[in-house]
Amino acid sequence: MKFLYVFLVFLFFASCSEKKTHSYTFYFWKTNLALNNIEKKALEESTSDFLYTRFFDVDKINGQFEPVAVITKNKSFSTEKEIIPTIFFTNRTFYKIKSEEIQFLAKSVNDLIQKKIKEYQLDCGREIQIDCDWTAGTKNDYFTFLKELTKISGKEVTCTLRLHQVKDKKLMGIPPVEKVYLMCYSTSSPLENSDKNSILDFNILKSYLSKLEDYPLKKIEVALPIYSWGIVTNHLGKHKLINALSKKDFNNPNFKRISDNEIEILKDGFYFGNFLNKGFKIKTEEISQEQLDSVIHFLDQKINHYNIIYYQLDSKFVEGRLFK
């Protein structure tokens, strides 16, 4: 009996300490579908069979639905991964939309997706992902659109899920899909004066997802950030973003380092494609592996099984990073 007790205790602790593994891949979010050697290598080494590829955005401009920044494809592009078409919608697209416009929009979106698949001879499967930060005021029409697109396309339509849509699920509603993609980033606004990392603050994320295990949809995949940016602050305290900046970009004699991730400009000039004045400050926000590990460990307690999609596939973000 003593041996059996010890054996059962060992099994218990072994099961508790067993580390979950997750297949991973990337979002591709550029306008031109092309990969350099660093990006090709990162994609080839990824353990998922898919590449989530932004095809176009949809916006409402002067009352008209418009596709924005429709993807093009470089002749050299090739991959063994199956392409998942991903379409971003502005929330205002669904504001005060009419029922007949929803059907028109669903058909138009599906037609453009199929046109691009055929034009570029892409290997796409049975899924279309829709990305929209819907609100309580647009949820009903957005959910109707998801149903209509499912019916028209004959595909599995999935959608993204923001942190606030989990926390406020009664107000925000549950989308009519089988699978959602939890976007674990943008935990606050980068344009506010804050000492928090606006891309990903672990404590904020935990507060939003404290009841994630109670979310009605159980097929949840996870999107994690690997991107970075610089936040420029001028003399008036106004902010703007410069994408893809990191601390290694701060090696410049015209910069005075204020802290590990912040500098002050010492001389007027063009920096990172922008004219910036003396006295302007730039703070970088980046994501460390330790931050990602903390989020993954937390989610492992909340979700039985999930795959990871890193945002985004860009040599600036994947080079030198070890993916697990």
Side-chain angles (χ1 to χ4, degrees):
M1 287 294 293
K2 183 177 180 181
F3 173 79
L4 179 61
Y5 173 77
V6 171
F7 180 69
L8 290 174
V9 170
F10 170 78
L11 285 181
F12 172 78
F13 282 104
S15 63
C16 289
S17 61
E18 182 181 352
K19 189 175 182 180
K20 293 182 180 180
T21 58
H22 307 280
S23 293
Y24 76 89
T25 186
F26 302 96
Y27 278 105
F28 184 90
W29 214 258
K30 301 176 187 177
T31 304
N32 184 39
L33 187 52
L35 300 174
N36 61 31
N37 289 334
I38 294 171
E39 294 157 354
K40 284 179 183 177
K41 185 174 184 292
L43 183 58
E44 288 169 358
E45 291 176 350
S46 65
T47 55
S48 169
D49 295 329
F50 308 104
L51 175 63
Y52 293 80
T53 304
R54 175 204 157 279
F55 271 40
F56 52 90
D57 302 342
V58 177
D59 197 2
K60 187 185 288 183
I61 303 171
N62 297 323
Q64 301 295 317
F65 303 115
E66 298 284 351
V68 179
V70 180
I71 198 169
T72 59
K73 174 178 168 290
N74 190 287
K75 291 181 180 179
S76 66
F77 174 82
S78 66
T79 182
E80 297 296 318
K81 305 292 185 179
E82 183 179 298
I83 301 292
I84 307 295
T86 303
I87 318 300
F88 171 78
F89 283 77
T90 62
N91 183 53
R92 67 183 181 186
T93 299
F94 297 100
Y95 183 65
K96 292 186 176 179
I97 192 173
K98 299 173 184 176
S99 58
E100 61 269 21
E101 290 178 322
I102 294 176
Q103 186 174 20
F104 167 80
L105 185 60
K107 183 179 185 307
S108 299
V109 166
N110 184 62
D111 287 348
L112 186 51
I113 291 171
Q114 298 310 315
K115 178 183 177 182
K116 292 297 145 185
I117 291 174
K118 183 177 180 180
E119 181 180 353
Y120 298 139
Q121 298 181 318
L122 298 174
D123 178 19
C124 297
R126 297 288 304 165
E127 181 178 350
I128 296 172
Q129 184 183 130
I130 302 300
D131 178 20
C132 179
D133 188 4
W134 80 85
T135 59
T138 59
K139 66 180 180 182
N140 291 334
D141 291 323
Y142 175 59
F143 292 171
T144 300
F145 168 81
L146 293 175
K147 293 177 185 176
E148 193 66 29
L149 182 60
T150 300
K151 182 171 66 175
I152 288 174
S153 68
K155 302 287 183 73
E156 178 188 10
V157 173
T158 61
C159 73
T160 56
L161 183 67
R162 301 303 200 277
L163 299 179
H164 71 95
Q165 293 162 346
V166 175
K167 182 179 180 180
D168 301 323
K169 60 181 182 291
K170 289 185 179 179
L171 176 66
M172 304 305 295
I174 309 301
V177 296
E178 295 292 323
K179 180 167 64 175
V180 289
Y181 291 78
L182 180 62
M183 318 300 274
C184 292
Y185 44 87
S186 297
T187 49
S188 59
S189 170
L191 303 182
E192 297 174 356
N193 289 313
S194 173
D195 58 354
K196 300 183 186 304
N197 187 320
S198 66
I199 296 175
L200 175 58
D201 182 279
F202 182 48
N203 289 326
I204 293 176
L205 179 135
K206 285 196 300 182
S207 70
Y208 273 94
L209 300 182
S210 61
K211 301 295 184 181
L212 177 59
E213 62 272 24
D214 297 334
Y215 197 74
L217 298 176
K218 299 306 178 184
K219 290 181 69 174
I220 300 176
E221 310 287 25
V222 172
L224 293 177
I226 54 173
Y227 62 93
S228 64
W229 54 33
I231 303 172
V232 180
T233 304
N234 68 11
H235 301 109
L236 300 175
K238 302 294 185 180
H239 307 293
K240 74 173 181 178
L241 291 179
I242 298 178
N243 285 319
L245 281 193
S246 63
K247 288 181 286 189
K248 63 185 179 183
D249 296 311
F250 283 170
N251 296 322
N252 189 311
N254 292 330
F255 297 162
K256 179 178 80 172
R257 192 171 289 276
I258 300 173
S259 66
D260 183 52
N261 67 328
E262 189 173 10
I263 59 94
E264 181 179 332
I265 295 173
L266 300 176
K267 182 180 179 181
D268 293 355
F270 280 94
Y271 306 101
F272 319 117
N274 297 263
F275 186 82
L276 304 176
N277 294 111
K278 177 182 176 181
F280 282 22
K281 295 177 182 179
I282 307 176
K283 181 182 77 170
T284 61
E285 292 186 336
E286 304 176 60
I287 301 299
S288 69
Q289 189 58 51
E290 289 74 21
Q291 286 173 288
L292 294 177
D293 288 343
S294 295
V295 173
I296 291 169
H297 178 72
F298 171 76
L299 293 176
D300 283 349
Q301 319 307 312
K302 300 285 186 179
I303 310 173
N304 287 330
H305 172 77
Y306 60 91
N307 300 310
I308 295 172
I309 306 94
Y310 289 104
Y311 182 86
Q312 61 169 313
L313 182 57
D314 187 307
S315 57
K316 296 174 184 175
F317 307 137
V318 300
E319 187 173 20
R321 189 182 285 273
L322 298 176
F323 295 97
K324 300 178 181 180

